[in-house]
Amino acid sequence: MKRFDKMTLAVNDLQEEFEENDSEIETAARESIGETVAYILEWFEIGIDVEDAIRERDW
C-alpha cells in the first residue's frame, strides 16, 4: 500500500499545481488514473480494492 500511497500523493501534488494555475485535473484524467490502478492491481493479482489503493487522494 505504501507505493500506491506514494503515487497518490504525487498526483495530489500535481492537483495542487493545477489549482495554482486556476485549473484542475479533468474528470476523464481522474477516471483514467483509477482505471490504470485497477488494471495494475488485476495484472499483478494484488488483492486490494482500487478505492483502498488510492485512499490518499484529494482529487
Side-chain angles (χ1 to χ4, degrees):
M1 292 289 283
K2 289 182 182 183
R3 290 183 188 250
F4 285 109
D5 289 345
K6 186 175 180 179
M7 178 271 315
T8 304
L9 293 172
V11 176
N12 289 348
D13 291 343
L14 183 60
Q15 172 62 26
E16 289 175 19
E17 189 171 331
F18 272 87
E19 289 174 355
E20 290 170 4
N21 291 285
D22 297 321
S23 189
E24 64 182 39
I25 296 176
E26 298 293 328
T27 301
R30 292 191 297 267
E31 290 174 1
S32 178
I33 293 167
E35 290 170 2
T36 301
V37 170
Y39 178 79
I40 291 168
L41 293 170
E42 183 178 338
W43 178 264
F44 289 102
E45 298 178 355
I46 300 171
I48 59 174
D49 184 71
V50 173
E51 293 300 317
D52 290 332
I54 56 175
R55 66 183 178 198
E56 294 289 335
R57 76 182 184 281
D58 67 359
W59 30 273

